[in-house]
Amino acid sequence: MKTFPDIKQSFRELIATPSISALEAELDMSNQGVVSLLSQWLDDLGFDCQIQPVPNTRGKHNLLAKIGQGHGGLLLAGHTDTVPFDEGCWSQDPFTLTEKDNRWYGLGTCDMKGFFALVLEAVRQMPTQDFIRPLYILASADEETTMNGAKAFAQSKAIAPEYALIGEPTGLKPVYMHKGHLAQGIRITGRSGHSSDPAKGLNAIEIMHQVIGQLLKLKQHLAEHYREEAFSVPYPTMNFGHIHGGDAANRICGCCDLHLDIRPLPGLPLEVLEQLLTQYLAELSQRYPGAISISQLYPGSQPFAEQADAQWSQLVAELSNQAPEVVNYATEAPYIQQLGCQTLVWGPGSIEQAHQPDEYLDTAYINKTVDLLKHLIYHACIKAP
């Protein structure tokens, strides 16, 4: 007879299975090991498991597990990947679960492979034979880079739960709204030449100066026309994060690159933001034909909004004894929401630990999270309507 792993053993095995996501091919890893572990454990608990390849990835997979029949139900979602770790900055091996000072250290303990171990324990303690609505578990790929796992899953419309929780580290506070993220590159292609005769060249830095002037007008437009007071920064932000052009003081600059970051509010889809960007640079593009190009640095993430006073938001807030709140970072929530479910971001740990050396989960969250998950699963899957 198989012995199902306890919480600590589940944490240990998940952390020991690397699943780093990176845009750079040399750092990027498969998530197959994590998916296989979860599939095995969920199968032992009676779930029906499906492993689905994710398009446009380097061999990544989503895992969808289901237990219970009927309609609606609850989806517990999380991502299987982690960010790369800063070698030499960790006090211990990032792939070895280390317990110290009431903390469990390891890459993914908090963000967020540890969430799956807590879900497994909660389900193990529940009478799954009494489920009158289904419980789904989604383990997605590539959240830390492209979010292609969640995007592909949302497009498939494979399930239609009534409720969803995404187990990012929110300190068990229900998050009902967050900003999106768009990262664009603007390249000016001019004509180099000797600085003594400017008319024989086209200075890319000078054109970029004009481009930045237009972008600052767009930045002001966004601040004046889009506002949500619930955010600590209640308007879309624009940041110029990188600029480079030219190679010598006595040469006309032939090429100049700018990288910018825009964080849109709910109600401002990425498609509309991209159109505004093109619109504000249209006059300069006509003045300098072929000189200005706009490209995506990496896939963006849509903003997300649920209702703070929705039934699901209020229930999770009441059980967690935490008021619904908004955050500035991005998650898979806008894509999970496309399934038609009331969606919240809610999970153990602090976002301050995510993407940091010596990432950890405070052990005070462990039993508390399991108990809250059991209450939420009961409400969504067992309790009579």
Side-chain angles (χ1 to χ4, degrees):
M1 182 176 179
K2 294 179 180 177
T3 302
F4 195 81
D6 61 18
I7 297 179
K8 193 169 186 179
Q9 183 62 25
S10 299
F11 263 86
R12 184 178 291 113
E13 293 190 40
L14 289 168
I15 300 311
T17 307
S19 54
I20 290 170
S21 281
L23 296 173
E24 301 85 357
E26 63 273 16
L27 296 177
D28 201 30
M29 295 180 179
S30 170
N31 69 335
Q32 185 65 53
V34 174
V35 165
S36 296
L37 273 176
L38 293 174
S39 178
Q40 173 191 323
W41 294 334
L42 289 164
D43 183 71
D44 289 346
L45 288 172
F47 281 79
D48 174 38
C49 297
Q50 300 176 23
I51 296 176
Q52 307 159 341
V54 178
N56 305 314
T57 64
R58 300 182 182 97
K60 308 297 181 75
H61 295 79
N62 287 337
L63 167 67
L64 175 64
K66 175 187 177 183
I67 194 167
Q69 302 302 315
H71 302 286
L74 172 63
L75 169 63
L76 299 174
H79 59 84
T80 56
D81 58 325
T82 71
V83 293
F85 65 97
D86 297 315
E87 195 163 359
C89 295
W90 280 68
S91 302
Q92 58 276 320
D93 181 357
F95 300 110
T96 299
L97 186 68
T98 303
E99 185 171 7
K100 184 170 57 177
D101 300 326
N102 298 316
R103 296 171 176 176
W104 285 359
Y105 290 87
L107 183 62
T109 50
C110 173
D111 186 23
M112 56 167 288
K113 292 193 286 189
F115 178 69
F116 293 113
L118 301 176
V119 169
L120 287 163
E121 181 61 22
V123 174
R124 191 183 66 81
Q125 297 181 22
M126 297 201 70
T128 54
Q129 70 276 6
D130 293 342
F131 284 10
I132 59 174
R133 289 176 293 275
L135 173 65
Y136 301 98
I137 296 173
L138 172 66
S140 65
D142 274 6
E143 188 271 351
E144 297 290 6
T145 50
T146 64
M147 298 203 183
N148 279 340
K151 291 174 182 177
F153 186 76
Q155 290 172 1
S156 74
K157 295 290 195 295
I159 61 173
E162 186 174 2
Y163 309 112
L165 285 177
I166 301 169
E168 294 280 359
T170 69
L172 298 180
K173 298 175 184 177
V175 168
Y176 71 95
M177 187 161 53
H178 65 61
K179 293 184 179 181
H181 181 220
L182 181 69
Q184 300 289 87
I186 297 176
R187 170 165 289 184
I188 311 300
T189 304
R191 293 190 307 277
S192 59
H194 199 283
S195 61
S196 62
D197 195 347
K200 290 186 177 179
L202 182 64
N203 196 306
I205 291 176
E206 292 183 5
I207 299 174
M208 184 63 83
H209 173 72
Q210 298 175 65
V211 164
I212 290 175
Q214 288 301 108
L215 292 175
L216 290 173
K217 291 179 182 178
L218 173 58
K219 180 178 181 179
Q220 185 65 29
H221 171 86
L222 294 174
E224 290 175 353
H225 291 85
Y226 297 91
R227 199 164 186 89
E228 174 51 69
E229 298 298 337
F231 288 98
S232 58
V233 181
Y235 49 84
T237 57
M238 178 186 295
N239 179 63
F240 301 148
H242 164 93
I243 191 166
H244 178 79
D247 51 25
N250 63 350
R251 271 171 56 86
I252 297 169
C253 174
C255 185
C256 187
D257 286 301
L258 172 68
H259 294 177
L260 68 151
D261 162 294
I262 307 177
R263 306 275 173 159
L265 295 171
L268 180 56
L270 298 189
E271 297 79 9
V272 173
L273 192 53
E274 290 170 345
Q275 291 168 8
L276 284 169
L277 194 59
T278 301
Q279 176 186 325
Y280 269 75
L281 297 182
E283 183 179 339
L284 288 175
S285 294
Q286 293 174 1
R287 190 184 309 168
Y288 303 102
I292 302 173
S293 64
I294 306 172
S295 63
Q296 185 182 75
L297 295 176
Y298 46 85
S301 178
Q302 296 284 3
F304 160 70
E306 188 59 80
Q307 296 299 315
D309 58 357
Q311 175 192 12
W312 186 234
S313 302
Q314 291 301 303
L315 176 69
V316 177
E318 179 184 348
L319 290 175
S320 305
N321 197 28
Q322 303 266 21
E325 66 173 19
V326 305
V327 295
N328 289 312
Y329 55 82
T331 76
E332 295 173 322
Y335 307 105
I336 299 302
Q337 191 181 42
Q338 291 173 17
L339 300 173
C341 45
Q342 294 184 46
T343 303
L344 292 174
V345 185
W346 174 93
S350 168
I351 195 65
E352 299 300 322
Q353 301 307 319
H355 303 189
Q356 299 297 317
D358 291 342
E359 177 187 343
Y360 69 84
L361 180 70
D362 192 309
T363 55
Y365 280 111
I366 292 173
N367 290 334
K368 186 175 183 180
T369 302
V370 171
D371 288 342
L372 286 169
L373 282 168
K374 287 163 61 179
H375 280 95
L376 293 166
I377 294 169
Y378 171 82
H379 173 88
C381 302
I382 297 178
K383 184 179 178 182

